[in-house]
Amino acid sequence: MLSKNFIKRWVQSSKLIRKQSVWSADNVISSPYRDVEIPNSTLYEYVWKNLERWPERTMAVCATTGRGYTYEQGFKLSNTFAANLRRKFQVRDGDVVAVMLPNIPDFPLVTMGILEAGGIITSINPIYTAHEVQRQLVLSEAKIVVTLPETVAIIKEACKMAKIDLPIITIKTNGEVTQEGTVLFNDLTEDVHVDKSCLREVRRSASDVCFLPYSSGTTGLPKGVELTHRNLIANCEQVNEPLIACHNETTETHQDKVLVVLPLFHIYSASVLMFHKMAQGAKLVTVKKFTPEDYFKAIEGYKTNLLFVAPPLMFLMASHPAATEKSLRYIEVLVSGAAPLSASDTHRFFEKANKKIDFRQGYGLTETSPTISLTPKGCKKNYDATGPPIPSTRLRIVDNDLNNIGPNQTGEILVHGPQVMRGYKNNPRANEEVFTADGWFRTGDLGHVDEEGTLTIADRLKELIKVKGFQVPPAELEAVLRSHPSVNDAAVIGVPHPTKGETPKAFISLKPGFNDNSEELKDYVRERVAAYKRIEDFKFVDSIPKSPSGKILRKVLKEQYCC
């Protein structure tokens, strides 16, 4: 039975829907929802704006140890951390602080403290090698690094390679040994003597950059994505639209439980699971290290009712023995993103769960904070689709000449909305490539939109390889391979994989006098990249097919060797 309040909200939200067609005469697709009002505030202010409603509620808790913080504790500790960033580390407005952490309950404290201190967060994958870390530290111009004791050696090696000397703050989660030359996070959050008056000096506005994740964009090596306070707040408000909202109101008798298994260094988890859900007073249940058994145990043990996943987790939940009616019984809303998911995979999961679950599929990018489209509540007719554009968002589907095309025609997806990034940091050439002259962002993805405005992702123009939802840029792996003394040229493509979605496959052209050496190359790459980027499959060829302009013809490689 639907409550009167629910029916009232539904009727009110239904009145927000535009009556006219979402398609304009010139084939621009508008959101079917009313535009949102974006608060003129910083992300820090936005996240804490309703703190007085749920101070005693759990903000974040470790799924394994139960260690965690209430919202009131999180606010106070991050506030003290912010003051010490200003006092002891001379962080000033616009300074970048690197965060290289797994999913732990301290992650929100770190990010909120950085924001309150006037800083910018740049998040680093905690399994990165020193080669990868040093590149991001240099490009982001980071002033400090926050990490765990076990990754201090990697940070120090990265700093040595980059010829920089950065302060390192470490978070001890389970009695680890304090690393020499580092500062303890707890000492900075529990410092009762710090003078917090310095925080009154902070001057940050909605238009300032606050988050700097790194993405490969449509092609090439990772670039710093400049997301402003307004970008992230806008996206939070956009997904609050009643017909697409994936959360419930926090009250005296209810608090959503969200399993944070997706990595918080990634925009999907940082924005949708952390910033947005904290602003709604939800409980974040953080998973530091993933195992299938612990994953299902946490879903059941913490009575997870909101679950946000990428396709590999959907595959797991549809096939793993631990996925049962009992372990999945508390899930009410399930959202899949990061990569397309087929309807058949969704149905296999439903057979396992054997219950009604509000399933959604969303689409977005790091450059769009991230959400662009999301299926509305109760949408069961097309599980392949990602829904219409969210409020205040417009789409264009274009041909190769960037001319708009009409309903049900496949082309590149262009987006315009308040969630679109300011640009790539210090990279005008990349900005010229992704922004049209009139300000539309080119996603590099292929899709089509039906007459009702529902978007379906068809393929990717971009050449990124998606391994378990993670972006693997071929250019990065090719650069590593070409640095080996035996390699004359290299090309990397993504090939289907039963559990990873895709995996890299390398094509190698050797220099004269060298023999096939796949094991040596495999080890060489393994030492220089994160585990999910490693290459297991090598093919040695006489030459790499290229266009007259020198662009690798990956399509030719796929046709010749992968069909």
Side-chain angles (χ1 to χ4, degrees):
M1 178 72 71
L2 297 177
S3 70
K4 291 182 179 179
N5 285 337
F6 179 87
I7 295 172
K8 182 179 178 181
R9 289 197 302 270
W10 181 269
V11 171
Q12 289 174 340
S13 62
S14 298
K15 293 178 181 178
L16 305 182
I17 302 293
R18 292 194 179 106
K19 300 301 182 183
Q20 70 268 27
S21 170
V22 296
W23 285 87
S24 70
D26 56 351
N27 285 335
V28 173
I29 306 105
S30 295
S31 171
Y33 312 109
R34 190 177 70 178
D35 289 348
V36 295
E37 294 183 7
I38 306 169
N40 184 26
S41 69
T42 65
L43 183 60
Y44 170 84
E45 295 164 337
Y46 180 83
V47 168
W48 296 124
K49 62 182 169 52
N50 290 318
L51 176 65
E52 73 282 354
R53 293 176 54 189
W54 42 70
E56 300 303 319
R57 291 282 193 179
T58 300
M59 179 190 73
V61 59
C62 175
T64 304
T65 67
R67 186 180 67 87
Y69 305 96
T70 66
Y71 272 90
E72 184 174 41
Q73 289 171 332
F75 175 77
K76 290 180 177 179
L77 293 171
S78 64
N79 179 258
T80 304
F81 179 54
N84 272 316
L85 287 177
R86 300 280 296 194
R87 290 289 185 195
K88 296 181 179 178
F89 296 91
Q90 286 72 54
V91 167
R92 294 298 177 259
D93 295 355
D95 283 350
V96 175
V97 179
V99 180
M100 185 172 168
L101 295 170
N103 290 2
I104 56 177
D106 313 82
F107 205 116
L109 274 64
V110 174
T111 57
M112 289 297 102
I114 294 169
L115 294 178
E116 187 180 8
I120 297 172
I121 305 156
T122 189
S123 51
I124 302 177
N125 189 333
I127 65 171
Y128 267 4
T129 65
H131 290 79
E132 294 163 310
V133 172
Q134 68 89 20
R135 184 177 187 276
Q136 186 165 335
L137 291 179
V138 171
L139 291 178
S140 67
E141 302 173 297
K143 301 294 178 67
I144 306 171
V145 183
V146 183
T147 191
L148 295 183
E150 55 260 41
T151 48
V152 167
I154 294 173
I155 299 293
K156 288 184 175 180
E157 178 62 21
C159 289
K160 183 179 178 181
M161 294 169 61
K163 297 179 180 179
I164 55 178
D165 185 15
L166 300 181
I168 302 174
I169 298 170
T170 57
I171 300 176
K172 294 172 65 173
T173 61
N174 194 27
E176 301 92 338
V177 176
T178 302
Q179 299 293 307
E180 184 179 355
T182 67
V183 179
L184 282 177
F185 178 68
N186 282 7
D187 291 345
L188 302 175
T189 59
E190 298 172 6
D191 181 3
V192 296
H193 302 294
V194 65
D195 182 0
K196 298 181 181 179
S197 63
C198 59
L199 297 176
R200 293 198 293 268
E201 301 168 1
V202 176
R203 296 289 182 272
R204 302 297 280 170
S205 69
S207 61
D208 289 321
V209 174
C210 68
F211 193 36
L212 188 68
Y214 272 70
S215 168
S216 297
T218 55
T219 56
L221 293 169
K223 298 175 280 290
V225 178
E226 294 185 314
L227 297 176
T228 67
H229 294 272
R230 187 176 188 272
N231 289 149
L232 290 162
I233 292 172
N235 212 224
C236 289
E237 287 296 299
Q238 287 168 313
V239 297
N240 281 341
E241 155 60 41
L243 292 180
I244 60 175
C246 301
H247 64 280
N248 302 288
E249 182 181 356
T250 299
T251 66
E252 292 183 0
T253 58
H254 177 82
Q255 183 187 28
D256 282 338
K257 276 77 71 176
V258 186
L259 192 66
V260 185
V261 64
L262 299 173
L264 284 167
F265 66 79
H266 190 274
I267 186 64
Y268 180 5
S269 189
S271 180
V272 177
L273 275 67
M274 183 170 62
F275 297 135
H276 178 263
K277 297 304 177 292
M278 285 177 65
Q280 303 300 322
K283 177 189 289 187
L284 309 182
V285 181
T286 61
V287 178
K288 181 181 178 183
K289 187 176 181 179
F290 177 84
T291 66
E293 293 74 19
D294 288 344
Y295 174 67
F296 290 108
K297 184 178 178 180
I299 291 176
E300 182 179 2
Y302 282 91
K303 299 182 179 180
T304 302
N305 67 309
L306 307 185
L307 192 58
F308 295 80
V309 301
L313 284 174
M314 285 292 291
F315 305 153
L316 178 75
M317 292 191 295
S319 60
H320 198 277
T324 63
E325 289 184 41
K326 182 173 181 289
S327 64
L328 303 174
R329 69 185 186 275
Y330 296 110
I331 300 174
E332 299 171 356
V333 180
L334 175 62
V335 182
S336 179
L341 182 72
S342 70
S344 59
D345 293 318
T346 307
H347 284 298
R348 280 196 290 272
F349 166 76
F350 283 148
E351 291 173 2
K352 271 271 187 170
N354 194 28
K355 62 168 289 188
K356 291 183 178 180
I357 292 176
D358 184 11
F359 174 78
R360 321 284 194 81
Q361 186 163 190
Y363 166 65
L365 302 90
T366 303
E367 292 85 348
T368 58
S369 303
T371 311
I372 293 173
S373 66
L374 181 65
T375 48
K377 295 178 180 178
C379 182
K380 300 178 181 179
K381 64 179 181 179
N382 186 1
Y383 286 132
D384 289 318
T386 64
I390 59 176
S392 301
T393 303
R394 294 182 296 156
L395 301 179
R396 291 166 54 196
I397 307 297
V398 300
D399 60 20
N400 292 335
D401 297 317
L402 296 185
N403 296 315
N404 293 352
I405 54 180
N408 302 309
Q409 298 184 58
T410 299
E412 183 181 0
I413 304 164
L414 273 60
V415 61
H416 194 283
Q419 72 271 48
V420 177
M421 68 171 180
R422 189 165 82 177
Y424 295 120
K425 180 179 174 67
N426 297 332
N427 203 330
R429 181 176 178 181
N431 289 329
E432 289 177 2
E433 292 174 352
V434 299
F435 284 106
T436 64
D438 53 353
W440 287 77
F441 174 71
R442 300 185 61 176
T443 66
D445 291 323
L446 293 172
H448 58 267
V449 177
D450 65 18
E451 293 86 350
E452 297 178 352
T454 300
L455 173 66
T456 300
I457 308 302
D459 204 343
R460 293 198 304 275
L461 278 178
K462 66 181 75 171
E463 296 166 342
L464 291 176
I465 304 165
K466 285 288 186 75
V467 180
K468 293 186 175 181
F470 292 120
Q471 297 179 346
V472 179
E476 181 181 1
L477 294 177
E478 289 159 0
V480 171
L481 288 166
R482 284 194 293 266
S483 68
H484 190 278
S486 71
V487 175
N488 177 56
D489 204 356
V492 176
I493 63 173
V495 295
H497 190 278
T499 60
K500 298 178 182 178
E502 284 187 307
T503 190
K505 178 182 178 73
F507 296 85
I508 306 294
S509 170
L510 295 171
K511 294 177 181 178
F514 287 89
N515 297 321
D516 298 0
N517 53 358
S518 58
E519 288 301 316
E520 181 181 336
L521 286 174
K522 189 182 299 183
D523 292 339
Y524 186 78
V525 174
R526 182 181 291 112
E527 294 172 358
R528 288 162 173 78
V529 302
Y532 67 87
K533 298 179 184 178
R534 293 173 184 171
I535 305 172
E536 301 296 328
D537 190 2
F538 290 81
K539 176 72 176 178
F540 293 88
V541 295
D542 292 333
S543 62
I544 303 298
K546 295 184 179 180
S547 69
S549 63
K551 180 177 174 61
I552 295 173
L553 299 176
R554 303 182 201 280
K555 184 177 180 181
V556 172
L557 289 171
K558 289 187 176 184
E559 291 173 347
Q560 290 182 349
Y561 299 103
C562 302
C563 294

